[in-house]
């Protein structure tokens, strides 16, 4: 297409083989891209004799007061609660939140980000799916739009990450369970979507070994976000096989624990800490439903309020500064032990 008139930046991106976000960064500030990339762009500009519409570029740089908030699933009370807290904080600062749920789908997650791009948001708060996310496309989006990740981290992507200190919180509940009864086995998904699950697995193993106990993993088959169903199915298998080395099970998250509690009830097992109880069950997150299970669920709370407010504050700081921070920041909040009737 050399010698052919290039009409816009999209066509130039196609013929040059350089992504649209990278070209936007270059035209906004040539020094914001690597020297080798800058040389490629300058060579392509000369080859295709393309002159960008600087008025359009400047128009594209004019930001709205919109801030996108993308979570894996707005129907999940956990994400609904944290999204509501973020929404309230954003409104207080004079911006307009745009809430979107990805329904556990990586395709929908990228579609949400692209839809937000068309709104010219001042910034985006993203709780990514994690392992299932299209990391390359999310990274490309983050290069073009100020983005702060929360809940689930993807290394080196986005301006910052705000979440929970899984090492501290899992260590806290493992210590409690070992002090008050038999050391726990750990119920998790074999191939979890959320990267927090891997961190919790490693934290459990480390905490058990530190206390002189042998870790035992119970790995459930299944993928996606139907955690209660997976916990129930694996719970029924565990109950049927009767091969647990301990009467205590720590679940990777509260939703798995809720499924396990249901399986125990179906099997006629009594869960709790009183005389005559067959099983102790604990979880992680302090999911909004965990205080209404039967028995009520012992767990570790995530600081929803602090995570939500810090995420929004970091993004607003970035928007006001009008330039990226010198380095990517990570902020982790410690969990709090919630002792209830299940363990």
């Amino acid at each position: 297409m050399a010698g052919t008139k290039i009409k816009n930046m999209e066509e130039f991106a196609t013929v040059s083989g350089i992504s649209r976000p990278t070209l936007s960064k270059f035209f906004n500030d040539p020094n914001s891209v690597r020297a080798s990339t800058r040389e490629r762009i300058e060579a392509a500009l000369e080859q295709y004799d393309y002159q960008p519409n600087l008025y359009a570029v400047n128009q594209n740089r004019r930001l709205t007061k919109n801030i996108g908030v993308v979570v894996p699933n707005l129907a999940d009370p956990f994400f609904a609660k944290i999204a509501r807290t973020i929404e309230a904080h954003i409104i207080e600062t004079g911006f307009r939140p745009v809430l979107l749920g990805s329904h556990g789908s990586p395709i929908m997650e990228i579609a949400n980000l692209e839809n937000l791009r068309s709104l010219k948001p001042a910034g985006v708060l993203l709780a990514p799916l994690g392992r299932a996310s299209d990391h390359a496309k999310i990274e490309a989006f983050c290069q073009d739009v100020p983005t702060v990740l929360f809940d689930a981290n993807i290394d080196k992507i986005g301006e910052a990450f705000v979440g929970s200190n899984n090492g501290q919180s899992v260590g806290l509940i493992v210590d409690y369970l070992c002090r008050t009864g038999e050391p726990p086995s750990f119920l998790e998904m074999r191939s979890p979507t959320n990267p927090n699950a891997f961190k919790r697995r490693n934290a459990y193993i480390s905490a058990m070994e530190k206390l002189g106990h042998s870790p035992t993993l119970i790995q459930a088959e299944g993928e996606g976000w139907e955690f209660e169903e997976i916990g129930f199915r694996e719970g029924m298998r565990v109950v049927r096989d009767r091969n647990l080395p301990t009467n205590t099970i720590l679940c990777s998250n509260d939703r798995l624990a809720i499924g396990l509690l249901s399986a125990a009830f179906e099997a006629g097992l009594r869960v709790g800490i009183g005389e005559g109880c067959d099983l102790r069950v604990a979880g992680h997150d302090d999911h909004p439903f965990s205080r209404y299970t039967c028995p009520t669920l012992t767990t570790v709370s995530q600081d929803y309020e602090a995570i939500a407010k810090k995420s929004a504050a970091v993004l607003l700081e970035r928007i006001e500064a009008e330039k990226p921070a010198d380095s990517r920041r990570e902020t982790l909040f410690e969990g709090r032990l919630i002792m209830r009737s299940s363990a």
Side-chain angles (χ1 to χ4, degrees), residues 2-3 27 35 38 41 53 64 71 116 121 135 150-151 154 172 184 186 212 231 249 271 287 299-300 315 330:
F27 289 125
R38 187 164 62 248
I41 295 173
N53 183 334
T64 65
V71 299
L116 285 171
H135 291 196
F150 68 97
D151 181 62
I154 301 178
L172 184 67
F186 188 71
I249 301 178
V271 177
H287 188 281
T299 184
V300 179
L315 181 61
E330 291 192 9

Side-chain angles (χ1 to χ4, degrees), residues 38-203:
R38 187 164 62 248
E39 290 172 3
R40 284 181 59 207
I41 295 173
E42 290 170 348
L45 286 171
E46 186 174 342
Q47 178 182 357
Y48 296 105
D49 192 29
Y50 171 64
Q51 295 293 326
N53 183 334
L54 295 180
Y55 175 79
V57 170
N58 287 332
Q59 282 292 97
N60 287 336
R61 292 177 63 190
R62 293 181 184 176
L63 302 176
T64 65
K65 299 291 282 184
N66 297 324
I67 289 182
V69 182
V70 182
V71 299
N73 198 330
L74 279 170
D76 185 328
F78 175 88
F79 289 110
K81 183 172 182 178
I82 197 168
R84 285 197 302 269
T85 306
I86 288 175
E87 180 182 36
H89 189 62
I90 289 173
I91 292 172
E92 287 177 3
T93 60
F95 285 82
R96 293 185 295 269
V98 180
L99 269 60
L100 298 170
S102 300
H103 302 287
S105 165
I107 295 175
M108 179 67 76
E109 183 171 66
I110 297 304
N112 284 335
L113 294 178
E114 291 306 318
N115 288 336
L116 285 171
R117 187 195 295 275
S118 68
L119 298 177
K120 297 185 177 69
V124 168
L125 292 165
L126 170 65
L129 298 176
R131 182 176 61 85
S133 295
D134 189 326
H135 291 196
K137 289 185 178 179
I138 291 178
E139 183 175 16
F141 177 86
C142 293
Q143 289 175 351
D144 212 29
V145 180
T147 304
V148 170
L149 272 57
F150 68 97
D151 181 62
N153 195 10
I154 301 178
D155 289 341
K156 301 178 182 178
I157 291 181
E159 300 278 341
F161 169 71
V162 181
S164 294
N165 185 338
N166 288 292
Q168 176 270 339
S169 59
V170 172
L172 184 67
I173 196 163
V174 168
D175 179 73
Y176 165 76
L177 293 172
C178 289
R179 283 189 290 104
T180 55
E182 295 184 12
S185 298
F186 188 71
L187 173 60
E188 61 170 0
M189 292 168 62
R190 188 180 299 277
S191 301
T193 297
N194 193 304
N196 286 326
F198 291 110
K199 294 177 181 177
R200 292 173 189 176
R201 174 195 300 171
N202 294 334

Side-chain angles (χ1 to χ4, degrees), residues 299-315:
T299 184
V300 179
S301 71
Q302 295 196 53
D303 195 336
Y304 298 89
E305 189 84 12
I307 291 172
K309 289 189 175 182
K310 183 64 175 181
S311 301
V314 170
L315 181 61

